């Protein structure tokens, strides 16, 4: 007899990449942070229908788990947990999924939704061993492969651990290190409103890397060095240097062709308004950019400039 909870809920945050996106796929270090005010949520309740349903009104989804194909991300999240728990017959439950994180915008919505489903179902089944950050991250990674193709593992890690992380993709085990933020970093996050596929952006970078390996190795190395220097600057509380490194990182991302006119416009607007630094965040080609600001006055000016430059939504997050 399997024991389980009556109603179970779990959430997972969105994320931003501060340094090193794309280069991280090729083993260079990167830095990411959770956005705790934007969350995905999974709620599990009993279903009297003798079936396991996945219901996601925001995504227009109301499906029986058994009807969903193997490459369905929501189904795979649930099946990962059932498989890990050696449960062949899915329980009679409804898994409700909702999310405040915009889709295809570089904020890790896919990873957060998967992590919330995995954590909620593991909790429902009272499997503490499947609820550890390490396990939630590993199971989420399997779902990320559907979204990304060749994910580095940074998104699933930051949403599962929900803390700022230093991440290096490597074998046999990724390097995952929390680090100290000596002086709080205030980021304004602005959305271009342009939706973009991580899988396509990552695939394009791969194509260019294969066509011009020497040039792209140089670009990835430069991004890796920036991430390394940025970690030291964050740990030393050198906010001005952190900003400069962000802007430098953006220039390398432009060379990778993952920026876009909309992202460049928002980055330029933030810098012109006095931001300490600005860059795209995530896979690029659309989605969000981040700008580092030092105080209330700078934040107000940067937000106004981003709004004027066409940002579709703007939020502030403080990394401590
Ligand atoms: C996406 O948030 C970050 C990328 O580097 C892809 C990945 O690391 O899997 C673009």
């Amino acid at each position: 007899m399997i024991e389980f909870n009556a109603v179970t809920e779990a959430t997972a945050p969105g994320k931003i990449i501060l340094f090193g996106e794309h280069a991280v796929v090729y083993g260079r270090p990167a830095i990411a942070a959770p956005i705790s005010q934007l969350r995905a949520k999974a709620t599990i309740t009993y279903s009297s229908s003798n079936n396991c349903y996945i219901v996601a009104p925001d995504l227009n989804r109301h499906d029986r788990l058994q009807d969903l194909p193997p490459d369905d991300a929501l189904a795979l999240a649930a099946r990962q947990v059932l498989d890990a728990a050696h449960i062949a017959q899915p329980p009679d439950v409804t898994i409700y999924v909702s999310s405040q994180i915009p889709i295809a915008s570089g904020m890790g919505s896919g990873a957060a939704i998967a992590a919330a489903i995995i954590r909620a179902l593991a909790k429902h089944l009272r499997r503490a061993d499947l609820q550890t950050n390490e396990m939630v991250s590993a199971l989420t990674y399997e779902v990320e492969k559907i979204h990304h193709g060749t994910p580095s593992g940074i998104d699933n890690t930051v949403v599962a651990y929900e803390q700022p992380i230093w991440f290096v993709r490597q074998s046999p085990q990724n390097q995952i290190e929390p680090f100290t933020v000596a002086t709080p970093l205030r980021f304004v996050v602005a959305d271009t409103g342009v939706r973009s596929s991580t899988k396509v952006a990552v695939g394009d970078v791969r194509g260019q890397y294969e066509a011009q390996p020497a040039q792209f190795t140089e670009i990835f190395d430069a991004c890796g060095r920036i991430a390394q220097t940025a970690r030291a600057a964050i740990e030393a509380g050198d906010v001005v240097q952190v900003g400069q490194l962000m802007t430098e990182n953006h220039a390398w991302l432009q060379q990778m062709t993952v920026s876009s006119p909309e992202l460049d416009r928002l980055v330029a607007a933030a810098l012109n308004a006095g931001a300490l630094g600005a860059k795209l965040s995530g896979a690029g080609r659309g989605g969000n950019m981040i700008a580092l600001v030092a105080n209330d006055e700078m934040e107000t000016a940067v937000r106004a400039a981003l709004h004027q430059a066409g940002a579709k939504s703007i939020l502030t997050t403080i990394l401590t």
Side-chain angles (χ1 to χ4, degrees):
M1 171 88 184
I2 300 164
E3 295 266 328
F4 42 74
N5 290 334
V7 177
T8 326
E9 192 178 288
T11 66
K15 67 98 201 355
I16 47 176
I17 307 265
L18 305 186
F19 293 97
E21 51 274 271
H22 287 290
V24 68
V25 175
Y26 300 84
R28 303 324 188 267
I31 299 175
I35 302 213
S36 294
Q37 70 256 50
L38 288 183
R39 308 192 72 83
K41 181 163 99 175
T43 307
I44 300 185
T45 59
Y46 279 115
S47 150
S48 52
S49 61
N50 288 334
N51 264 299
C52 176
Y53 277 90
I54 299 187
V55 178
D58 307 340
L59 301 171
N60 229 346
R61 297 273 311 260
H62 189 132
D63 302 300
R64 275 194 318 186
L65 180 61
Q66 70 190 64
D67 297 335
L68 291 168
D71 64 350
D72 181 89
L74 303 186
L76 183 58
R79 286 183 185 131
Q80 292 280 336
V81 178
L82 297 174
D83 288 352
H86 307 293
I87 295 174
Q89 176 69 34
D92 299 336
V93 294
T94 299
I95 305 172
Y96 287 97
V97 182
S98 63
S99 176
Q100 304 162 316
I101 309 162
I103 294 169
S105 66
M107 292 180 112
S109 98
I113 288 172
I117 292 175
I118 289 163
R119 223 183 257 292
L121 199 49
K123 221 167 165 182
H124 175 82
L125 298 169
R126 298 187 184 167
R127 289 291 300 256
D129 57 327
L130 302 180
Q131 293 174 53
T132 63
N133 293 341
E134 203 179 352
M135 185 57 87
V136 172
S137 176
L139 299 181
T140 302
Y141 181 71
E142 294 306 312
V143 182
E144 282 287 280
K145 287 184 188 165
I146 296 178
H147 295 297
H148 281 210
T150 55
S152 64
I154 192 168
D155 287 13
N156 49 284
T157 303
V158 70
V159 306
Y161 285 74
E162 199 167 349
Q163 57 183 319
I165 51 153
W166 165 265
F167 181 92
V168 186
R169 179 188 199 185
Q170 60 184 29
S171 268
Q173 225 177 5
N174 295 328
Q175 190 184 335
I176 299 164
E177 289 174 11
F179 56 89
T180 324
V181 182
T183 303
L185 298 174
R186 198 189 303 198
F187 295 100
V188 176
V189 184
D191 195 345
T192 58
V194 177
R195 298 291 157 251
S196 118
S197 153
T198 299
K199 197 170 187 165
V200 171
V202 169
D204 279 3
V205 171
R206 181 162 300 280
Q208 294 179 80
Y209 166 64
E210 281 166 3
Q212 311 162 70
Q215 191 186 331
F216 269 69
T217 299
E218 213 172 286
I219 296 175
F220 297 151
D221 283 345
C223 294
R225 278 194 302 272
I226 288 172
Q228 192 94 47
T229 313
R231 177 175 174 172
I234 294 169
E235 287 176 332
D238 189 340
V239 182
V240 170
Q241 193 188 12
V242 174
Q244 286 163 352
L245 290 164
M246 285 169 60
T247 309
E248 255 178 62
N249 196 165
H250 185 72
W252 288 111
L253 290 161
Q254 285 175 316
Q255 297 231 12
M256 280 183 220
T257 77
V258 294
S259 193
S260 70
E262 294 83 0
L263 282 164
D264 287 344
R265 190 177 323 125
L266 295 187
V267 166
L271 293 173
N272 287 336
L276 299 177
K279 65 182 277 293
L280 70 83
S281 176
R285 297 267 168 90
N288 279 270
M289 55 74 69
I290 55 176
L292 182 64
V293 293
N295 50 42
D296 290 349
E297 205 185 337
M298 200 184 282
E299 181 187 339
T300 306
V302 168
R303 287 181 79 112
L306 288 168
H307 185 69
Q308 183 80 28
K312 296 295 178 283
S313 71
I314 302 172
L315 64 89
T316 300
T317 186
I318 298 178
L319 187 61
T320 53

